């Protein structure tokens, strides 16, 4: 026996809007982790530049130019990281998870729980010092995580992982 097939249109204006969801911001302590990473990176770059200028006598007269470019690049990197930090946000709803990021273009990922295959919790060396963790959410078909939510308090990240693992178990 065959059922009657229907394919009614959906009123897209009546669908729930993810834009209206109030997103959680990353923990302010995560900004310290970002600053530390920027500092270490630029310390290494600065030492390398200083050694190059010091040992290459042909470019001694350009040392001020290297220094100026270095400071401008450091400032630009700091500025972009600050904007990126402020624009990131996440939310867990009844049926899905939302993560927003981006500097120039804003990317918003909405992943339904029924697509989640695996959840991982990571604590980097510097993040562990501030009691922070990163939650990685994997869906089918990918070898890398679909969403990485950094800067979450470790206890909250463990609760999020348990929530998602519970959602995965219900699917089985």
């Amino acid at each position: 026996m065959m059922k009657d097939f229907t394919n009614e249109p959906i009123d897209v204006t009546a669908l729930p809007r993810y834009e209206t969801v109030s997103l959680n911001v990353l923990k302010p302590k995560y900004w310290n982790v970002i600053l530390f990473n920027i500092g270490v990176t630029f310390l290494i770059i600065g030492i390398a530049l200083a050694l190059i200028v010091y040992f290459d006598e042909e470019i001694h007269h350009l040392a001020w130019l290297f220094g100026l470019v270095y400071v401008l690049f450091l400032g630009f990197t700091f500025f972009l990281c600050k904007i990126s930090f402020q624009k990131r946000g996440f939310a867990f709803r009844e049926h899905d998870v939302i993560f927003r990021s981006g500097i120039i273009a804003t990317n918003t990922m909405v992943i339904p729980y029924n697509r989640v295959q695996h959840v991982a919790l990571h604590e980097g060396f510097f993040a562990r010092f501030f009691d922070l963790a990163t939650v990685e959410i994997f869906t089918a078909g990918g070898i890398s995580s679909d969403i990485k939510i950094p800067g979450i308090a470790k206890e909250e990240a463990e609760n999020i992982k348990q929530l998602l693992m519970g959602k995965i178990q219900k699917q089985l």
Side-chain angles (χ1 to χ4, degrees), residues 1-171:
M1 182 165 128
M2 187 154 178
K3 289 188 171 187
D4 291 334
F5 176 76
T6 62
N7 195 8
E8 298 295 323
I10 298 173
D11 180 11
V12 294
T13 60
L15 293 174
R17 311 274 311 165
Y18 71 85
E19 297 93 342
T20 62
V21 174
S22 177
L23 299 178
N24 299 307
V25 296
L26 304 181
K27 296 294 180 202
K29 291 190 284 185
Y30 185 63
W31 177 241
N32 296 332
V33 174
I34 293 171
L35 286 178
F36 193 81
N37 288 333
I38 291 172
V40 168
T41 301
F42 274 88
L43 179 66
I44 293 168
I45 292 170
I47 290 171
L49 279 175
L51 290 173
I52 290 169
V53 169
Y54 181 76
F55 287 112
D56 191 345
E57 292 182 16
E58 293 178 15
I59 60 172
H60 275 293
H61 64 283
L62 296 176
W64 66 271
L65 181 62
F66 284 117
L68 178 64
V69 169
Y70 176 79
V71 169
L72 289 174
F73 190 58
L74 174 62
F76 186 67
T77 301
F78 176 84
F79 176 72
L80 289 180
C81 287
K82 184 66 173 177
I83 291 172
S84 174
F85 173 75
Q86 292 172 338
K87 290 185 79 175
R88 291 183 194 176
F90 64 94
F92 290 87
R93 300 191 298 180
E94 188 177 349
H95 300 288
D96 56 28
V97 59
I98 300 172
F99 182 66
R100 182 188 66 212
S101 64
I103 298 173
I104 296 170
T106 301
N107 300 316
T108 305
M109 299 221 17
V110 181
I111 296 181
Y113 294 136
N114 64 359
R115 304 292 300 157
V116 174
Q117 297 287 314
H118 176 68
V119 182
L121 186 81
H122 295 284
E123 296 177 74
F125 178 74
F126 305 122
R128 189 177 311 133
F129 181 74
F130 293 104
D131 200 31
L132 299 173
T134 298
V135 174
E136 290 187 79
I137 301 170
F138 298 80
T139 61
I143 56 171
S144 65
S145 62
D146 292 289
I147 294 179
K148 280 186 181 181
I149 306 173
I152 300 175
K154 184 180 177 200
E155 184 177 330
E156 183 181 356
E158 289 171 350
N159 291 340
I160 290 169
K161 182 179 178 185
Q162 290 303 316
L163 166 82
L164 294 173
M165 294 304 292
K167 298 283 186 180
I168 292 171
Q169 291 299 320
K170 284 183 183 178
Q171 296 171 34

